[in-house]
Amino acid sequence: MQGNLLDLIRGYSMPYVKRLTGSPSDAREYAALVDFQIKVALTLLAAYSGRTAAPIKLGDTPGVGQMLSGIKLAKKWTASLDPVIVGWREFAERLLNEFSRNIHDGKGFKAIRDELSHGTPIPVEDASAAAICTALREFSEIVGQHIETQVSKFCYAATPTSIRLSCGADNQEVAPLWDFNAAQGVIGIYSTFDTDGVYYLCPSIGAYRNQRPENTAAFRTTFLSKDPTEKHFGQFVFEITRDIAGFCEDHSPPPYDFGEGEHAGVIFVTWTQASSQGNTHRTDMFRRGQDNRYEWFDVSANTWIGFSSFLRKIANWTLLARRVRIELDEQERRKQVAEMGTSQPTGGMKITAVLVEEAETPDDSSPVQVTPINLQARADNSCQPSKNFTTVYFVVGDAGMGKTDYLLTLARARAHAVETNPTVESPLYLFVSSTGRALSNLDDAINTSLSITHILNNHSAKVLCRNGLLVLIVDGFDELLGSSGYDNPLGSLEGWFKDLRGRGVMIASARSSYYMTRYRRSLSETTDLNVEHTVADIQPWTPEDTTAFLHSYGVPATALTDLSARDWRLLTIPFFAKAFATWSTTSRSNGEEPTGVFQIVVEQYLSRESTKIADQNNAPILSKLELQTLFSEFAEMMHIEGKRELEQSDLELCASAALGFNDIDKERPGLRRRLTSLCGLSVGEMVAGDSKFGFSHEVIFDCFLSLSLQRRCAAGVEMTYVNNVFSKAAINTAVIEWFVAANVNVAQSVLDILRPAGGTSSIWKKNVGALWTALLNHSGGMPPTLAASELEFQTVELSMGRGKQLTMRGAKIDQLKISRDAPIIDIKETSIKYLTVDEASTLSLLRGVAPEMIQKMQAPGSYCDTTASVRTVLEEAGVIAKQASAATLEWLDTANYFIESLVSRPDAPIVVMHDNLEPDSERLGWATRLGLAKWTQFLNRLTQCKLASWEPLVAKKQPKKRLVFHVSPAEISRRNSSIPGIADFWNS
């Protein structure tokens, strides 16, 4: 980066100019501009002072008085005959002359600036206010002119480690007083020195930190007057100004200055608060109190209070809670209308949702009783400001499990509690629904949800979230970006993580375990996300709960006697139970007999929607079969095109294709007009109320997508069609299971056509793997084909096929269960997260197995969760040959265990004690499975090979540090030798 120095300084004055409003409040902005001009002058003089016998030293948090004192030191350069130094000394004298004179009402600049910073109000009289503002404007112009005259002929050239100024023979290095931030493309001026780095101010982006040790050491040695008495003050300034920026009119970091004398340790922030009633210009004081608590001076109460109280005040906390509650009530009403066809509350008992934290070992036979978790209590507790990482809770469950009901109830209850009792210090829960609609990014979804409040926006919401006052709930996160979300599961969430800077709490729901697998894989490809994840599975109802619920709706016991085992499994899913209960109390009275729970859901939906497709005589324009075909076509288009909603033109196109109409108006009069009646009742309307069609629930979409597959394949399986459906987007497992149950022979034909095609995308592999698994389960454990290579599976249970050989090379399997009567299985280059066998001898069925490809393995009497222990069991079973070079293998097994653990468990940041590298969190229990010595060896090898480095953390007790990867764990796992350091890491 290089250019004219005068242009650079003028450019950095523009953010102050842009904030001018033409009102008396501009006085504070002009004062802030002069503060910045003083920083520029002082740092330039300090850089040149190295050529003199009177070097200028700077304080760790220099205020205006201290900076002017630094400039006064340049007056001592009278002994120097160097014309360059003479010129800079004369420049300093001219500046000091300006600061020594009175500029308004017998007061100099510093006196006026201190009064404004310390809360002295600007006079209410227009003339007096204008006079102060004019005086400060003219003074800033004079100071600016002195600086411009001095640097007008200078050029600069900046690199990440050097900034050189040049003017003819005059050539001066100004780093580390100035800093080039290559990532942002800006130059910063020294602001604060701290033990964790040097903080610089760039008016266009605010304060930032250069934490390179060599930069910190150079500044301390050459320019620092004395080490700071308080640690992490620079971080305090950075965080306060960035948080206030979220509520500023232009969302840019506001100017600030440091207090002196009795106000030492205080920062004064001048900013403009935006609100629906207009802008408020203010100056606020902040400091760090006991135990590093951030505090704000409440002038009205004349006392220091917590920073969170300041944020509640500027967010109009009680009014915010009320507006959030009103919007959530309305969302609940719209959801009720969309799903049940009425806004009236339905009867029946309410079954409380049960959430269980994801088990590290998915062993269904484990006798250990799993304890449900209280998500609200966990989330509230995670909002503590002392944390060093962002916490994310994923609520995972199949379609219809009640995730939306649970999270919406959580948010409504909290908003009501805060509204009725403003002293409640618990966080608000912001509910953002993306279910049923694809938005371009998370910020769009949040801004849409916040628009009703007229108080918050995306920027201020992040501030409240970062400070533990707001918990963001994203319902249907896996649907937020449509089908593209599966290719990039982190999506715009990664931007939120970075903006939260290791703070805050988020809750997201996702219906697909496949999505979580992809999400974790995406996490393992990143290098510096300071996030802890917890996955909570929402549990199906117990048979007792289901029976009690149905009886509470008035469903007689006789109605349950003829239900199949498959129907009973569906009834443990709340959505199906509610649908069955409604059908039993309405349609059953008309003499209709059940045709299975799946078909009941479809019939209910068709009956409700058919009333919208009627002519002027209220006669149906489409038969029930035609309407079912039409909705199947809708679902197919949504799936193939990655949409969550359809426009009117899409509906007309589907109607023509599905029903074989060449002219809709001629062949079915009134249908085109009636199609618009289907729009505006999607779940998407919960957010925006727009006129698009969307299914009222994700289960309904799944039902019709499955019906579409059944209809299109009934007369024959067409290769292009099925390959397109299985390639475009992830298909929910239930869709495929219903498809297999409807016609297993057709489903087998689809698999026989798809499998040889050998799709390359992860989505194709997952979908075809799900079809293979559904057919496997339908047959009771007999493989539907003996070739299943390169596919992705969740749970595979092989119990039939003795004497045959199944090839599953290059596959990915979450859980593989093998029984003694299973076929021989070739799993060469197949990664398996969890392998279980019914007896040790069953391991002999494995071929091509590699210990490093199996993360965990369980057999009767043994449990292995390290590469070395897996290797030992496989060697003893005779599945693999014993290795002679045990010493060589020891490091490889050690490294492989830790790296694969990081790839499969990227759910918690690696935070350790500074002295002995012992893990700080129970979530890292796997880290010491091989002993602290091997864990230490592994960490040291990572840092020695420059694949990672340490970041010190602020901690009350023992010092801690966090491991920051420069190369992602996934890349290290692939042993990509083209990346520097990876080959050295793996070599023993």
Side-chain angles (χ1 to χ4, degrees):
M1 181 177 178
Q2 58 185 7
N4 182 275
L5 184 58
L6 178 57
D7 292 339
L8 179 75
I9 293 174
R10 282 178 173 172
Y12 284 171
S13 300
M14 289 309 297
Y16 300 94
V17 176
K18 288 180 179 178
R19 286 191 288 262
L20 298 176
T21 61
S23 67
S25 64
D26 288 348
R28 291 189 170 91
E29 207 64 55
Y30 286 121
L33 174 57
V34 175
D35 278 4
F36 177 70
Q37 291 169 334
I38 296 172
K39 287 183 188 294
V40 172
L42 173 64
T43 50
L44 288 174
L45 288 166
Y48 277 92
S49 72
R51 304 186 189 185
T52 74
I56 296 176
K57 298 286 186 175
L58 307 180
D60 57 313
T61 55
V64 169
Q66 190 177 7
M67 288 192 290
L68 291 175
S69 296
I71 294 176
K72 289 178 182 178
L73 291 176
K75 295 171 64 176
K76 297 181 179 180
W77 298 349
T78 52
S80 176
L81 300 178
D82 182 346
V84 171
I85 297 301
V86 171
W88 282 101
R89 176 176 57 78
E90 292 173 348
F91 163 69
E93 290 173 346
R94 289 193 296 271
L95 273 184
L96 292 171
N97 287 337
E98 299 295 346
F99 281 98
S100 64
R101 66 182 178 86
N102 296 330
I103 64 172
H104 175 74
D105 197 23
K107 301 174 184 176
F109 166 77
K110 186 176 184 303
I112 295 174
R113 169 223 168 265
D114 286 348
E115 289 177 357
L116 293 175
S117 295
H118 298 173
T120 301
I122 295 173
V124 293
E125 299 88 354
D126 291 343
S128 298
I132 294 175
C133 191
T134 298
L136 287 170
R137 175 181 59 78
E138 292 175 348
F139 187 73
S140 70
E141 291 171 352
I142 292 171
V143 174
Q145 186 59 51
H146 282 302
I147 294 175
E148 290 185 6
T149 301
Q150 184 68 15
V151 304
S152 61
K153 296 181 181 179
F154 277 85
C155 294
Y156 69 91
T159 70
T161 57
S162 170
I163 302 177
R164 298 202 70 84
L165 307 184
S166 59
C167 177
D170 184 358
N171 192 298
Q172 179 63 46
E173 175 65 60
V174 293
L177 291 159
W178 290 17
D179 175 75
F180 175 49
N181 186 327
Q184 301 268 14
V186 298
I187 288 177
I189 312 296
Y190 170 67
S191 173
T192 315
F193 181 88
D194 212 329
T195 53
D196 61 353
V198 183
Y199 286 79
Y200 296 90
L201 173 65
C202 174
S204 59
I205 68 168
Y208 70 88
R209 177 181 61 175
N210 182 331
Q211 58 183 349
R212 288 188 300 109
E214 55 271 27
N215 186 77
T216 305
F219 193 97
R220 173 187 275 117
T221 302
T222 310
F223 297 107
L224 189 65
S225 59
K226 62 178 181 178
D227 278 341
T229 55
E230 293 186 83
K231 293 184 177 180
H232 310 297
F233 193 82
Q235 181 180 344
F236 161 67
V237 174
F238 171 82
E239 291 182 350
I240 289 290
T241 53
R242 290 302 170 98
D243 285 347
I244 292 177
F247 289 89
C248 286
E249 181 182 23
D250 60 353
H251 306 303
S252 64
Y256 61 89
D257 56 86
F258 299 115
E260 298 174 302
E262 64 176 308
H263 292 101
V266 175
I267 63 167
F268 299 90
V269 181
T270 300
W271 62 293
T272 301
Q273 180 183 359
S275 69
S276 56
Q277 289 78 35
N279 294 333
T280 302
H281 308 284
R282 54 191 296 168
T283 296
D284 289 288
M285 292 187 286
F286 302 92
R287 73 176 187 185
R288 292 193 307 173
Q290 190 174 5
D291 292 331
N292 200 37
R293 187 180 87 139
Y294 292 5
E295 296 179 338
W296 167 67
F297 188 72
D298 185 349
V299 176
S300 62
N302 194 34
T303 187
W304 289 95
I305 62 177
F307 184 63
S308 59
S309 298
F310 164 75
L311 292 176
R312 286 190 181 94
K313 281 180 178 292
I314 63 176
N316 207 339
W317 196 241
T318 305
L319 179 61
L320 175 63
R322 172 178 168 77
R323 290 179 177 175
V324 167
R325 193 264 307 159
I326 290 172
E327 173 60 15
L328 292 174
D329 286 345
E330 180 61 16
Q331 287 196 38
E332 175 67 24
R333 185 196 67 80
R334 289 196 293 259
K335 180 176 179 294
Q336 176 81 7
V337 172
E339 294 181 5
M340 307 302 293
T342 176
S343 61
Q344 297 302 314
T346 57
M349 66 187 296
K350 186 175 180 63
I351 305 294
T352 303
V354 175
L355 273 66
V356 173
E357 188 169 350
E358 179 186 55
E360 185 175 319
T361 303
D363 181 10
D364 297 334
S365 63
S366 174
V368 178
Q369 182 68 35
V370 179
T371 304
I373 66 171
N374 184 329
L375 181 61
Q376 185 180 69
R378 293 274 289 269
D380 288 351
N381 189 58
S382 298
C383 287
Q384 299 302 318
S386 58
K387 282 194 313 144
N388 290 308
F389 50 83
T390 300
T391 301
V392 178
Y393 294 95
F394 266 106
V395 177
V396 177
D398 290 333
M401 288 295 294
K403 301 183 295 296
T404 298
D405 283 342
Y406 174 76
L407 295 175
L408 191 56
T409 300
L410 210 64
R412 289 176 67 204
R414 178 52 55 81
H416 182 265
V418 173
E419 178 189 4
T420 55
N421 184 6
T423 62
V424 170
E425 295 193 355
S426 302
L428 277 173
Y429 285 39
L430 176 66
F431 183 87
V432 177
S433 176
S434 55
T435 303
R437 60 191 288 116
L439 298 169
S440 58
N441 57 57
L442 182 59
D443 288 348
D444 285 349
I446 292 171
N447 280 328
T448 302
S449 295
L450 288 170
S451 60
I452 190 68
T453 69
H454 301 293
I455 295 175
L456 297 183
N457 56 32
N458 176 53
H459 298 279
S460 49
K462 287 177 182 176
V463 174
L464 296 181
C465 186
R466 189 163 54 239
N467 286 276
L469 300 180
L470 193 72
V471 173
L472 176 66
I473 298 178
V474 184
D475 184 41
F477 180 71
D478 52 343
E479 299 181 54
L480 176 65
L481 304 178
S483 60
S484 65
Y486 287 90
D487 297 324
N488 179 24
L490 273 175
S492 50
L493 196 57
E494 186 171 2
W496 259 73
F497 288 159
K498 292 187 180 299
D499 288 341
L500 290 179
R501 301 193 301 274
R503 305 264 290 281
V505 179
M506 300 175 69
I507 300 174
S509 73
R511 68 180 186 176
S512 167
S513 57
Y514 164 74
Y515 182 82
M516 290 309 302
T517 299
R518 294 288 298 168
Y519 179 84
R520 282 185 165 129
R521 194 173 302 165
S522 185
L523 278 178
S524 72
E525 299 282 358
T526 62
T527 56
D528 189 19
L529 283 184
N530 191 11
V531 185
E532 178 186 79
H533 294 79
T534 295
V535 178
D537 294 306
I538 192 166
Q539 301 298 294
W541 288 350
T542 64
E544 294 76 17
D545 284 340
T546 302
T547 302
F549 174 82
L550 294 175
H551 287 167
S552 73
Y553 263 83
V555 179
T558 55
L560 308 179
T561 56
D562 295 330
L563 293 175
S564 66
R566 181 170 177 269
D567 282 339
W568 267 110
R569 285 195 299 272
L570 285 176
L571 289 178
T572 63
I573 298 174
F575 181 88
F576 287 99
K578 292 175 185 177
F580 181 79
T582 303
W583 175 85
S584 295
T585 56
T586 55
S587 301
R588 179 178 285 277
S589 62
N590 300 327
E592 297 183 21
E593 289 300 319
T595 55
V597 175
F598 175 87
Q599 195 59 39
I600 285 173
V601 169
V602 173
E603 291 287 337
Q604 273 191 332
Y605 186 77
L606 292 175
S607 297
R608 188 163 65 244
E609 297 300 299
S610 64
T611 61
K612 304 172 188 174
I613 309 292
D615 61 17
Q616 62 271 24
N617 299 318
N618 208 30
I621 296 176
L622 297 176
S623 68
K624 188 167 288 188
L625 180 59
E626 287 176 326
L627 195 57
Q628 177 174 307
T629 302
L630 181 60
F631 283 127
S632 298
E633 194 73 21
F634 290 168
E636 183 181 299
M637 174 178 275
M638 288 178 174
H639 171 75
I640 290 177
E641 297 193 8
K643 296 180 177 181
R644 291 298 177 186
E645 297 169 313
L646 297 180
E647 307 277 357
Q648 168 77 11
S649 58
D650 295 325
L651 303 187
E652 295 174 10
L653 183 64
C654 286
S656 298
L659 305 176
F661 295 156
N662 293 319
D663 188 331
I664 294 179
D665 295 326
K666 183 177 180 180
E667 299 181 50
R668 203 60 59 95
L671 177 58
R672 186 193 303 273
R673 182 169 56 86
R674 291 299 180 186
L675 285 174
T676 61
S677 300
L678 297 175
C679 297
L681 284 178
S682 67
V683 178
E685 192 203 9
M686 291 173 62
V687 178
D690 49 16
S691 57
K692 296 178 182 179
F693 170 81
F695 288 106
S696 60
H697 196 283
E698 53 191 335
V699 170
I700 302 296
F701 169 79
D702 288 343
C703 288
F704 283 104
L705 183 58
S706 185
L707 287 171
S708 175
L709 268 173
Q710 297 170 33
R711 176 175 62 89
R712 293 291 292 266
C713 297
V717 181
E718 201 272 313
M719 169 64 182
T720 303
Y721 168 75
V722 294
N723 197 54
N724 196 29
V725 169
F726 277 71
S727 299
K728 286 296 183 179
I731 303 173
N732 191 20
T733 303
V735 174
I736 295 175
E737 290 174 346
W738 295 333
F739 173 54
V740 170
N743 194 325
V744 66
N745 293 327
V746 170
Q748 182 69 53
S749 298
V750 171
L751 178 63
D752 292 341
I753 287 176
L754 284 172
R755 192 194 53 75
T760 57
S761 74
S762 178
I763 285 177
W764 184 92
K765 294 177 180 180
K766 176 266 172 187
N767 288 336
V768 177
L771 177 59
W772 192 94
T773 303
L775 286 164
L776 171 77
N777 296 338
H778 190 274
S779 66
M782 172 66 77
T785 66
L786 293 176
S789 297
E790 303 292 335
L791 299 179
E792 296 184 14
F793 304 93
Q794 293 181 24
T795 300
V796 175
E797 298 187 50
L798 297 168
S799 58
M800 299 172 63
R802 177 188 286 270
K804 298 181 180 181
Q805 178 157 332
L806 170 63
T807 303
M808 302 183 80
R809 292 189 170 196
K812 294 178 180 178
I813 307 175
D814 287 347
Q815 187 174 9
L816 176 60
K817 298 181 178 182
I818 309 173
S819 301
R820 65 180 67 87
D821 291 326
I824 295 169
I825 314 161
D826 182 355
I827 54 171
K828 184 177 181 180
E829 297 179 352
T830 289
S831 63
I832 302 170
K833 289 186 178 179
Y834 185 72
L835 170 65
T836 180
V837 293
D838 59 348
E839 54 188 46
S841 60
T842 302
L843 290 172
S844 63
L845 296 175
L846 297 176
R847 301 289 186 274
V849 62
E852 62 270 18
M853 301 296 284
I854 301 173
Q855 290 184 26
K856 297 188 182 76
M857 185 172 72
Q858 185 165 1
S862 67
Y863 173 72
C864 310
D865 61 356
T866 68
T867 307
S869 60
V870 170
R871 182 186 302 279
T872 299
V873 170
L874 292 176
E875 287 177 347
E876 291 175 351
V879 179
I880 62 173
K882 290 191 175 183
Q883 298 289 329
S885 52
T888 302
L889 282 175
E890 183 179 6
W891 164 246
L892 291 177
D893 283 352
T894 298
N896 185 78
Y897 165 72
F898 285 126
I899 285 295
E900 292 305 320
S901 295
L902 285 169
V903 170
S904 63
R905 301 184 186 92
D907 296 340
I910 308 300
V911 177
V912 300
M913 299 300 173
H914 186 276
D915 296 332
N916 60 6
L917 303 187
E918 184 177 346
D920 176 50
S921 169
E922 293 180 1
R923 299 287 298 274
L924 300 177
W926 54 268
T928 55
R929 201 69 49 83
L930 299 180
L932 187 59
K934 287 190 175 180
W935 169 243
T936 302
Q937 177 192 16
F938 168 73
L939 294 176
N940 289 337
R941 182 72 73 95
L942 281 174
T943 55
Q944 289 164 6
C945 295
K946 300 189 185 306
L947 300 176
S949 61
W950 293 109
E951 176 188 60
L953 298 178
V954 179
K956 291 183 179 179
K957 299 178 181 178
Q958 284 183 275
K960 302 173 185 178
K961 53 187 178 181
R962 179 174 73 95
L963 190 68
V964 178
F965 281 93
H966 305 309
V967 178
S968 72
E971 203 69 73
I972 300 172
S973 173
R974 287 190 283 267
R975 309 191 185 192
N976 186 348
S977 59
S978 65
I979 298 177
I982 289 184
D984 291 339
F985 173 81
W986 286 105
N987 290 333
S988 58

